[in-house]
Amino acid sequence: MERGNSKHGPKRDDQLAHELQGTLKGNRSSRAEEWRDPEPPADDDEVLTARPDLPRPAPPDNPQP
């Protein structure tokens, strides 16, 4: 299995991924300064929808939980 990372070994990659889980799954900003947060969409912004004319990608064979 190719990991695509040449700076760290597999054990360190797993450790870093574990350390970031809370930040990535948290329901809050991960920015230290509030002014760095992206602005929410305005009320009058267009709602973008998926393009039904494009083929949908196939789901992965072995999804990770």
Side-chain angles (χ1 to χ4, degrees):
M1 178 167 118
E2 185 175 328
R3 298 186 67 89
N5 186 346
S6 61
K7 291 185 178 183
H8 309 292
K11 189 174 183 180
R12 180 68 175 140
D13 286 342
D14 292 340
Q15 180 184 6
L16 290 169
H18 179 72
E19 290 173 4
L20 284 174
Q21 277 185 353
T23 302
L24 297 175
K25 292 183 179 179
N27 192 16
R28 61 179 177 84
S29 173
S30 61
R31 309 273 183 171
E33 294 90 7
E34 185 178 342
W35 62 269
R36 290 184 180 255
D37 284 338
E39 291 185 14
D43 293 336
D44 59 347
D45 281 352
E46 276 187 47
V47 176
L48 302 177
T49 58
R51 290 184 51 191
D53 57 319
L54 295 178
R56 296 188 61 132
D61 293 337
N62 188 8
Q64 299 295 324

